[in-house]
C-alpha cells in the first residue's frame, strides 16, 4: 500500500508541474537559458548606457602660420686667423686675450731693424742714381751743343741720350725698391683687419714667428652674428620668395632660457644635398649684448608661409583609425564621427578639412566615445567638472523601470 501511494503522489506531482508550465507564467519563475539569456542583458545594457563625459573645443577659422623649426649653429659672419707675413721676432704685444679691438688697431710689433735698413739702403741707391741722372742730362746738353758745332758725331749724341734714358729707368727701379721695402716694413706692424673680439694669444715678446705659418691671434666679429641651419627642399620656393622680399623673419632661441633673438634670412645655398634632401641656409641676428656665441646651438623657427582661413582644431582631438583620420563632434547631445584630412600640424594646433568652423570637437575623453553615444560636456570649472563626472554614475546606479 505504501508503494502504491508513493507512485500516485509522484504522478500527481508531474501532472501538476506540466499544468504549471503551460499556464503562461513560466517566464517569471523559470530562469532563461541559452541565447535568450544572453540577449536579455545586452538589451538592458544598451538602454541603460551612461553618457560619456568629455571636454570639447570649438573649431576655429583663422590664419595659421607655417613654421619651419630646425636646430641651428651660431657662426661668426667674419673670423680671421691673424698670421705674420714675414719671419721675424715679436717685439711687443699690444693687446690682451679676450679684448675687443677696433679695425686698424695695432696688435703686434715685430723686429723691424732689418727692414728699416733695407729701406734706408734703397733710399740711398735712389739718391745715388738721381745724381748720376743729373750728370747724364748735363752731358747730353753739351753733346747737343757740340753736335751743332760739328765737333762730335751723331753717334756720340745718341750714346749720351741712351745714358740718360738708362738712368731714368734705374731711378724708377730704385723707387720701386723703396716701395717694396716700405711694404716689408709695414708687415712688422700687425693691425686688426676688422673689429671683433680677440681670442687666445699664443705668442709673447721674444717669440719667433714664421711667415704665413704662426697664428698670432684670431679676431671674431660678434655683432651681428649668423645662424646656419638646414632648410627642407619642399620649403625652397618659400625661402627664395622671402629672400626677394628682404628676407623672412627668423627666430633663434638659446637653450636654458638664454634668450630669444629676432633676425632675417640672408642666404640659401645653390644646391640641395642629395643625401638629406635639404639645403643650407643662414640667418643674421643683431647681437649687441654678445649673448650669441660662435658654436652655440639654437632652436630656429621661421615662418615660411601662412594658411589663410584654415579650420583649426587641437591636435589632441585627432584619432587615427584603420580607414583614416577622424574626429568626434558633439551634435544634439550625441557623438558624431567625421572623417578629416590633415593639412598642416604645428605645436598644439592642426589645420584640417572636413570640419566646419564652430563645430564642437571632442578632446578629452574621446577614447571612450563611440558614434551615437550621448555625451556630457565637462564644465570649465573644476567643481562643475566633478559634478558632471559624478552625475552619470548616479543615474546608472538607479534601476530601470520594468
Amino acid at each position: 500500500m505504501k508503494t502504491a501511494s508513493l507512485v500516485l503522489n509522484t504522478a500527481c506531482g508531474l501532472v501538476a508541474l506540466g499544468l504549471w508550465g503551460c499556464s503562461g507564467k513560466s517566464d517569471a519563475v523559470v530562469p532563461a537559458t541559452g541565447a535568450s539569456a544572453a540577449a536579455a542583458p545586452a538589451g538592458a545594457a544598451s538602454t541603460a548606457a551612461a553618457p560619456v563625459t568629455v571636454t570639447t573645443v570649438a573649431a576655429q577659422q583663422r590664419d595659421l602660420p607655417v613654421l619651419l623649426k630646425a636646430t641651428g649653429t651660431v657662426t661668426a659672419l667674419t673670423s680671421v686667423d691673424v698670421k705674420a707675413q714675414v719671419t721675424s721676432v715679436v717685439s711687443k704685444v699690444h693687446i690682451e686675450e679676450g679684448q675687443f679691438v677696433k679695425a686698424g688697431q695695432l696688435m703686434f710689433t715685430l723686429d723691424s731693424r732689418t727692414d728699416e735698413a733695407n729701406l734706408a739702403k734703397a733710399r740711398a741707391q735712389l739718391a745715388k742714381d738721381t745724381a748720376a741722372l743729373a750728370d747724364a742730362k748735363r752731358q747730353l746738353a753739351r753733346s747737343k751743343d757740340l753736335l751743332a758745332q760739328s765737333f762730335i758725331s751723331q753717334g756720340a749724341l745718341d750714346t749720351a741720350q741712351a745714358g740718360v734714358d738708362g738712368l731714368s729707368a734705374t731711378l724708377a727701379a730704385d723707387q720701386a725698391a723703396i716701395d717694396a721695402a716700405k711694404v716689408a716694413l709695414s708687415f712688422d706692424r700687425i693691425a686688426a683687419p676688422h673689429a671683433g673680439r680677440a681670442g687666445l694669444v699664443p705668442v709673447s715678446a721674444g717669440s719667433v714667428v714664421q711667415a704665413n705659418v704662426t697664428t698670432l691671434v684670431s679676431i671674431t666679429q660678434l655683432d651681428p652674428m649668423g645662424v646656419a641651419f638646414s632648410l627642407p627642399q619642399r620649403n625652397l620656393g618659400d625661402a627664395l620668395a622671402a629672400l626677394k622680399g628682404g628676407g623672412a623673419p627668423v627666430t633663434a632661441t638659446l637653450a636654458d632660457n638664454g634668450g630669444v633673438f629676432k633676425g632675417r634670412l640672408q642666404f640659401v645655398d645653390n644646391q640641395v644635398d642629395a643625401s638629406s634632401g635639404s639645403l643650407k641656409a643662414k640667418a643674421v641676428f643683431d647681437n649687441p649684448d654678445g649673448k650669441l656665441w660662435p658654436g652655440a646651438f639654437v632652436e630656429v623657427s621661421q615662418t615660411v608661409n601662412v594658411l589663410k582661413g584654415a579650420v583649426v582644431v587641437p591636435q589632441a582631438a585627432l584619432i587615427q583609425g584603420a580607414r583614416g583620420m577622424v574626429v568626434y563632434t558633439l551634435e544634439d547631445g550625441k557623438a558624431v564621427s567625421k572623417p578629416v584630412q590633415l593639412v598642416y600640424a604645428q605645436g598644439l594646433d592642426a589645420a584640417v578639412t572636413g570640419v566646419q568652423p564652430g563645430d564642437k570637437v571632442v578632446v578629452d575623453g574621446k577614447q571612450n566615445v563611440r558614434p551615437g553615444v550621448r555625451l556630457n560636456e565637462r564644465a570649465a570649472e573644476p567643481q562643475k567638472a566633478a559634478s558632471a563626472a559624478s552625475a552619470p554614475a548616479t543615474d546608472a546606479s538607479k534601476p530601470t523601470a520594468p
Side-chain angles (χ1 to χ4, degrees), residues 51-67:
V52 179
T53 301
V54 296
T55 299
T56 62
V57 174
Q60 299 179 357
Q61 186 174 21
R62 57 183 173 88
D63 296 342
L64 184 65
V66 178
L67 299 179

Side-chain angles (χ1 to χ4, degrees), residues 313-336:
V313 299
Q315 280 204 59
L318 303 180
I319 302 174
Q320 183 63 50
R323 297 183 179 180
M325 191 171 293
V326 299
V327 295
Y328 284 114
T329 60
L330 175 60
E331 298 181 9
D332 298 330
K334 295 183 179 181
V336 177

Side-chain angles (χ1 to χ4, degrees), residues 181-206:
K182 288 182 178 179
V183 172
L185 185 62
S186 67
F187 291 157
D188 297 324
R189 293 174 58 85
I190 302 175
H194 59 81
R197 188 177 188 271
L200 181 67
V201 180
V203 299
S204 58

Side-chain angles (χ1 to χ4, degrees), residues 158-333:
D158 293 341
T159 301
Q161 182 64 51
V164 171
D165 294 340
L167 287 173
S168 297
T170 302
L171 225 64
D174 293 341
Q175 185 60 52
I178 291 175
D179 293 340
K182 288 182 178 179
V183 172
L185 185 62
S186 67
F187 291 157
D188 297 324
R189 293 174 58 85
I190 302 175
H194 59 81
R197 188 177 188 271
L200 181 67
V201 180
V203 299
S204 58
S207 300
V208 178
V209 295
Q210 295 182 356
N212 301 318
V213 174
T214 306
T215 300
L216 304 178
V217 69
S218 296
I219 304 298
T220 302
Q221 179 183 354
L222 296 181
D223 186 23
M225 290 293 289
V227 172
F229 59 98
S230 295
L231 190 70
Q233 180 182 351
R234 63 179 178 272
N235 299 123
L236 175 59
D238 297 327
L240 294 178
L243 281 177
K244 293 180 181 179
V250 180
T251 302
T253 305
L254 280 171
D256 300 329
N257 297 323
V260 180
F261 303 86
K262 303 292 184 180
R264 303 195 73 82
L265 184 66
Q266 184 191 57
F267 163 76
V268 175
D269 202 1
N270 57 1
Q271 62 181 355
V272 178
D273 187 354
S275 61
S276 63
S278 62
L279 39 77
K280 297 178 181 179
K282 181 184 291 185
V284 179
F285 298 82
D286 292 332
N287 190 34
D289 299 330
K291 292 183 178 180
L292 290 176
W293 213 250
F297 291 97
V298 294
E299 292 295 329
V300 179
S301 176
Q302 177 188 0
T303 302
V304 296
N305 195 6
V306 177
L307 299 178
K308 299 291 186 179
V311 178
V312 181
V313 299
Q315 280 204 59
L318 303 180
I319 302 174
Q320 183 63 50
R323 297 183 179 180
M325 191 171 293
V326 299
V327 295
Y328 284 114
T329 60
L330 175 60
E331 298 181 9
D332 298 330

Side-chain angles (χ1 to χ4, degrees), residues 7-53:
V7 171
L8 181 60
N9 291 337
T10 302
C12 292
L14 291 174
V15 173
L17 181 60
L19 294 175
W20 197 4
C22 297
S23 65
K25 297 182 180 180
S26 60
D27 57 341
V29 178
V30 181
T33 59
S36 61
S46 61
T47 56
V52 179
T53 301

